[in-house]
Amino acid sequence: MRILAAMSGGVDSAVAAARAVEAGHDVVGVHLALSRAGGTLRTGSRGCCTIEDAMDARRAADRLGIPFYVWDFSERFRDDVVEDFVAEYRAGRTPNPCMRCNERIKFAALLERALELGFDAVCTGHYATVVDGPDGRELHRASDAAKDQSYVLGVLTADQLAHTYFPLGATPSKALVRAEAEERGLAVAHKPDSHDICFIPDGDTRGWLAERVGAERGDIVDRTGAVVGSHEGAHAFTVGQRRGLQLGVPAPDGRPRFVLEVRPVSNTVVVGPKEALATAEIAGGRYSWAGRAPVAGEFSCDVQIRAHADPVPAVAVLDEQGVTVRPRHPFDGVAPGQTAVLYDGTRVIGQFTVDRTVPAVPAGV
């Protein structure tokens, strides 16, 4: 096949490209420039897509003997990922920018251009597997549960899965990937993994959002509506948060309180006891299926609500309003804007964005 290898400058994408070459494919490497700040530098494991990452990707491509290009996707990234992130927080929701990047950049904009240029598939260093099932291609979890990235790939559609290639999915551990990189003479063999939000490399999400959303003083209230503190901007809080609340009025029982709800219209943050985070039902209208779509009606599945959360057995209902999920035991703090990924064993069924949540413990109980 003609393979376009997306090379981030990290060890995973470099080894994935190397395996594609070794498998006999015609491989071309490409690094996505996602920021117009050309002088952006990397600090340890913070950030990605920096100028150093582009240089590391080029060195890896040279080592593999494949052509290499840098494509400027910064405008598309700003509009589809960064601005979406700001808009979601402004609306009091909790977005996942990595999922938006996979959905709209790596497996939409990049894949579209790759197909236009005659490539058969896009190769990345994600830890997930694609297999040919009885009804077409299926997305499954990786062999290494600790590195499994099927959750953030849950936004892929059947058409996109037909043109994706994940060479690392069956690798038992990340340590083996690093050892392989060293054996191949790839300079990124021991490069730290990136973490945090790539376009906020200093990790100060609260400060970054304050500059774009604005900081406006508001009330922190308990479930009865009584004011128990104040804040400098509701955007700085997310459901389940405990630290940084700085409450002026302690709970009657002396127990810690957690963020239960963010109300952007009134600029209010609602707090309460941990048990009030229990969520009995989630629902959303924006969904997609990673391969075979389920038949409308009720079906059993496992549901994962965060990248590193444990899957929870649940019953899902698909109808004209969207998807509703009722877990067999309550979720622990789900915020509107989060993504729920549905599984059948190791297979990803699909995903939806959470628009509505129903608490397991009503206020006043």
Side-chain angles (χ1 to χ4, degrees), residues 24-355:
H25 300 300
D26 178 11
V27 182
V28 173
V30 63
H31 179 80
L32 302 185
L34 302 180
S35 171
R36 289 292 176 90
T40 300
L41 302 178
R42 184 185 179 94
T43 304
S45 60
R46 288 193 180 276
C48 66
C49 316
T50 64
I51 192 167
E52 285 100 333
D53 292 317
M55 293 168 62
D56 287 341
R58 180 176 294 279
R59 281 190 286 266
D62 289 345
R63 177 69 181 177
L64 299 176
I66 62 175
F68 177 81
Y69 300 91
V70 176
W71 288 355
D72 182 1
F73 276 33
S74 59
E75 186 172 336
R76 180 81 178 257
F77 184 77
R78 179 199 65 206
D79 294 343
D80 290 354
V81 179
V82 179
E83 293 303 324
D84 174 81
F85 182 80
V86 174
E88 287 289 275
Y89 262 99
R90 185 177 283 121
R93 298 159 65 88
T94 302
N96 186 321
C98 294
M99 301 199 80
R100 294 290 80 77
C101 186
N102 285 333
E103 176 187 25
R104 301 174 184 178
I105 305 298
K106 294 175 183 174
F107 299 97
L110 177 61
L111 180 56
E112 289 166 9
R113 184 177 293 186
L115 295 177
E116 289 172 357
L117 293 174
F119 288 94
D120 299 302
V122 166
C123 165
T124 72
H126 285 99
Y127 287 79
T129 56
V130 177
V131 302
D132 292 319
D135 299 304
R137 302 201 86 189
E138 299 175 348
L139 176 65
H140 285 254
R141 293 189 184 276
S143 296
D144 183 1
K147 293 298 294 181
D148 174 54
Q149 293 176 296
S150 60
Y151 173 85
V152 294
L153 296 169
V155 291
L156 271 64
T157 65
D159 289 342
Q160 292 167 336
L161 287 174
H163 301 284
T164 57
Y165 182 38
F166 301 134
L168 304 187
T171 306
S173 74
K174 177 64 174 274
L176 293 176
V177 172
R178 291 195 181 279
E180 181 179 334
E182 190 164 27
E183 290 174 4
R184 293 181 182 276
L186 296 170
V188 293
H190 300 289
K191 183 176 180 178
D193 291 337
S194 61
H195 63 79
D196 294 324
I197 301 171
C198 68
F199 51 87
I200 311 178
D202 65 359
D204 183 14
T205 303
R206 178 179 294 195
W208 189 90
L209 282 169
E211 293 178 0
R212 291 154 180 82
V213 177
E216 182 181 353
R217 194 172 185 83
D219 291 331
I220 300 177
V221 302
D222 64 17
R223 290 190 294 169
T224 70
V227 176
V228 294
S230 64
H231 62 77
E232 298 296 332
H235 63 270
F237 299 86
T238 188
V239 171
Q241 179 177 336
R242 174 186 173 185
R243 297 184 182 278
L245 299 184
Q246 298 179 338
L247 303 179
V249 180
D253 58 6
R255 297 166 60 198
R257 287 181 286 202
F258 298 77
V259 174
L260 304 181
E261 186 181 353
V262 178
R263 299 172 179 171
V265 175
S266 61
N267 194 31
T268 303
V269 175
V270 182
V271 297
K274 183 174 178 57
E275 57 266 25
L277 288 170
T279 304
E281 180 178 298
I282 59 176
R286 293 178 290 170
Y287 58 84
S288 64
W289 308 116
R292 180 180 75 252
V295 177
E298 184 175 291
F299 59 94
S300 296
C301 60
D302 292 327
V303 180
Q304 191 169 327
I305 58 171
R306 296 181 183 86
H308 303 294
D310 292 328
V312 176
V315 173
V317 177
L318 172 64
D319 56 29
E320 58 273 12
Q321 277 75 47
V323 183
T324 300
V325 168
R326 300 180 185 93
R328 298 194 186 280
H329 55 83
F331 295 119
D332 184 15
V334 184
Q338 284 184 232
T339 301
V341 177
L342 282 56
Y343 290 83
D344 177 9
T346 64
R347 181 177 72 87
V348 175
I349 301 172
Q351 61 81 37
F352 67 93
T353 301
V354 177
D355 294 325

